[in-house]
Each structure stands twice: as structure tokens, then as C-alpha cells.
Amino acid sequence: MKQKNFMARYLQEITPVSFELETTEEFQIIGNGPAQFRVKLRREIPRRELLQSTSLALGEAYARGDLEVDGDLYQVLDLFLGSMERFRTSRWALAGLLHTSLNEKKQKEQVASHYDLGNDFYHLWLDETMSYSCGYFQKEDTSLFEAQVGKVDHILKKLQLKTGMTLLDIGCGWGFLMKRAVVHYGVKAVGITLSQEQFEQVSREIEENHLQDRMTVKLMDYRELKDSGMMFDRAVSVGMLEHVGRGHYGLFLEAVQQVLKPGGLFLLHYISAQREHPGDPWIRRYIFPGGVIPSLREIVNLLPEQNFYLLDGESLRRHYTKTLLCWRENFLKHREELEKERGQEFVRMWELYLASCAAAFHNGIVDLHQLLLSKGVNNELPMIRTV
């Protein structure tokens, strides 16, 4: 079979709609009905790469500029990412990539490879709160900034905070949630992170705002919590569980349990999945090394082991689609600047990451859940949902 015919049939297998395929040798319409978009191949993609991983082969070709899409990238991806079960992934050939190291040093390196790209980089396309997680859009015209503030308030209200309480933020990012909890709810907060860049910025802002007696940030792994001697009334973790790795979710929950007071509340906000999966090969190689998305059921299944009671569960999946599209819009406003600084391939790779993740959430391939947990029985909380 000729490569060009193989490529046409390969793409037809994974694409549920008709499209135009243009190569250096020919032009053809794949599928039946009006074409929804056009794919241009400037250079052949080796068959071996396509058979090993659809995601890696097409993602790398797009980043290099060998594959172009004539049309809005998100809209095109949204048309066929709902058929990801048709993607090829050779777990044998990609065993090294799909294996997640649970080594503490290795995991710190993996986290740093993403979050330490530079605070200036993230400042370009995140909102003023520097929140790198799903926003909460209460109205159609809610801005990204309003959505991120709304998300934090949504979480803090669920935690039923009271003046004088202590709060632990596991994977505190650039510290906005902690700061808002301290300033608006009168709590004392401790945040932990593995990112040197985040640690340094939060430390500076604590000093600049004279919050040293009410807010602390530590460069710490969650596994160090059990021997820290700290105890908290409340705990929160936003977008960090995805870096823990399958096999260590129980260890993570145990670490939280050991620093939470009896009756204390824990809000776990994380990207989830319907089923257990090793992760997307392209995302794991280029965006989140070692990242794994837990399924909802595997986390819920572990809760009784740590005496956690599930009080509330909420999906914010569609909010994450909108968040990612806002980030992509901001990112593309700085395209020329970023290409000069980091190169065209980096920019194409990151646009693909943001657009593909937006499409993945829109198609339900991944979800976003907030789980409100109580350490043991808590009869002091309101009997009705307050947010």
C-alpha cells in the first residue's frame, strides 16, 4: 500500500466527518458529504510513527509545521476528538513514556519542567490572579478574571471558613486562593508548592503585602506533610492531584488526613476521567511529563480508607472548556512576541495544547470535579447546600 493511500485511510478511520486532504502529490476528499475542514501535509509522516501513536505523530507534525489545518484549530479538533477511542497507542512501544515515576525527586523535576517555564510567560496569558486552573463562569459575559475570582470564592464558601481558622493549600500555585482566604475570610494559611518560580513570587508578595504573620509558603512535597507537625481546620488542593501519579492517590489522601483536624474539611479540585487511562502520549512528552488524570471512581473508592466522608461533588467540565479558550485567545495575542522569544515550534505546540484540551473537555474525554470531604463525621455544617 502506498504511503499516501495509507495516510488517507488512517485519517479517515479516526475522523467522523468529511475533510479535504492536500499533500505534495495530490488533493482528495476523505469521507462522504461536504468537507468540514482541510488538512495540508507538507511532509509525509512515517507510517511507523502513526501506528505507534496517533497523538504523538500528528501532534509533532503540527508543531513542526509539517501539518497545517485550514480552519480554526479548536473547532477542527472539536469535530474529531470525541472519537479518540479510535486513536492508536502502542503501549509496548511507548512503555517508557507512559510509565509514571513515583520517585519524589523525579516528580519534582517533572512539575518544574512545566511550571518553571517562567512567571513572565504565564503572566502573558493568564488573568491578573495568575490562576492556572478552571474558572467558574456564572454568566455568559463573565470575564476570565471574574471567573477565576468566582472559582476561588466558590471553593472558599464550600469550605465554610471562619475567622481564625487555619487553611492548607496543597499545590498553591501563585497564591491567589491563599491570599483571598487570608484577606477576606480572616484565616491563617500555609501553601506548599514544588515550583521554585511560584515559591519565589508568592514569597515576595507575602512580604510586599505585609502578610508574614498570616500567610506562609513552603517549597515542600505533599509527602513531607505527615512529619511536619502541622494541623489545619481546612485543606484545599486545586489542580495538583494530576501530578501525584496512579498508585500514590492513597498516599496523597493519607497525607491530607494526617494534617487535618477531626471534622475538618478538604476541597479537592482536579481534572478527572470516566475511566483509568495512562494519559495522552503527546501531552505527557511535551506538556505534562508524568501527568496522569485520575478517574472519579478510583478517588471516591479510596475515601473510606482515610475516614473521608464525601459531602458534595460537582462537575465544572464546561467551565474548563471556556477557561481554556480564554487562555488560548490571550496566548495568541502574544504570538509574535512568543515566537521571537521561544520559537515557532514552541508556540504551535502550546496553542495545540490549549485548543486540544478545550476540545477534550467539550467532548467529555476529561472532566473537572470538586469533591468536598469531611474527616470523619461533621454535624456542625449547614444541612443544605450553601453554594
Side-chain angles (χ1 to χ4, degrees), residues 143-318:
S143 69
L144 178 60
F145 171 75
E146 291 168 336
Q148 294 294 6
V149 174
K151 180 268 302 295
V152 167
D153 286 343
H154 195 56
I155 288 172
L156 297 179
K157 288 175 184 176
K158 285 183 178 183
L159 284 170
Q160 303 287 326
L161 296 175
K162 296 179 181 178
T163 301
M165 280 186 171
T166 51
L167 171 69
L168 171 66
D169 188 349
I170 306 170
C172 63
W174 285 278
F176 179 74
L177 184 148
M178 276 201 302
K179 184 178 178 182
R180 193 160 181 87
V182 166
V183 173
H184 291 269
Y185 290 85
V187 306
K188 292 186 176 182
V190 174
I192 65 172
T193 179
L194 289 178
S195 166
Q196 185 69 35
E197 291 266 349
Q198 291 178 346
F199 170 76
E200 291 176 0
Q201 178 167 316
V202 177
S203 297
R204 284 194 303 270
E205 291 184 0
I206 288 174
E207 291 189 18
E208 290 169 0
N209 291 280
H210 308 291
L211 295 172
Q212 296 93 326
D213 60 334
R214 301 166 63 190
M215 184 172 163
T216 305
V217 63
K218 297 177 181 290
L219 203 59
M220 176 188 285
D221 189 279
Y222 74 89
R223 282 164 280 209
E224 300 174 65
L225 287 171
K226 64 179 181 179
D227 297 319
S228 68
M230 297 186 291
M231 293 297 292
F232 298 90
D233 299 295
R234 302 289 189 260
V236 62
S237 181
V238 178
M240 182 270 180
L241 188 65
E242 301 88 328
H243 299 286
V244 167
R246 185 159 286 123
H248 270 189
Y249 302 137
L251 186 65
F252 173 80
L253 291 170
E254 181 184 7
V256 180
Q257 192 268 356
Q258 289 178 341
V259 295
L260 198 59
K261 296 177 183 178
L265 301 184
F266 173 40
L267 191 291
L268 181 59
H269 170 120
Y270 73 104
I271 298 172
S272 60
Q274 286 284 86
R275 298 177 178 83
E276 299 73 36
H277 191 274
D280 177 78
W282 185 82
I283 291 286
R284 287 180 65 109
R285 175 170 289 177
Y286 294 102
I287 306 298
F288 286 112
V292 181
I293 297 174
S295 71
L296 178 62
R297 63 187 173 189
E298 67 184 316
I299 300 304
V300 172
N301 190 54
L302 291 169
L303 299 181
E305 305 305 317
Q306 302 303 329
N307 195 31
F308 276 126
Y309 283 72
L310 177 59
L311 304 181
D312 188 76
E314 182 179 14
S315 168
L316 299 182
R317 177 180 60 82
R318 294 170 67 189

Side-chain angles (χ1 to χ4, degrees), residues 1-14 19 21 23 26 28 30 39 41 43-47 50 57-58 61 67:
M1 182 188 302
K2 293 182 179 180
Q3 169 71 19
K4 60 183 179 181
N5 292 333
F6 170 78
M7 187 66 186
R9 293 181 63 176
Y10 182 92
L11 291 176
Q12 186 172 16
E13 284 180 7
I14 65 171
F19 64 98
L21 176 62
T23 69
E26 66 177 346
Q28 56 185 308
I30 308 298
V39 173
L41 279 177
R43 189 167 65 180
E44 289 183 354
I45 303 173
R47 182 186 301 199
L50 289 163
L58 298 183
L67 185 154

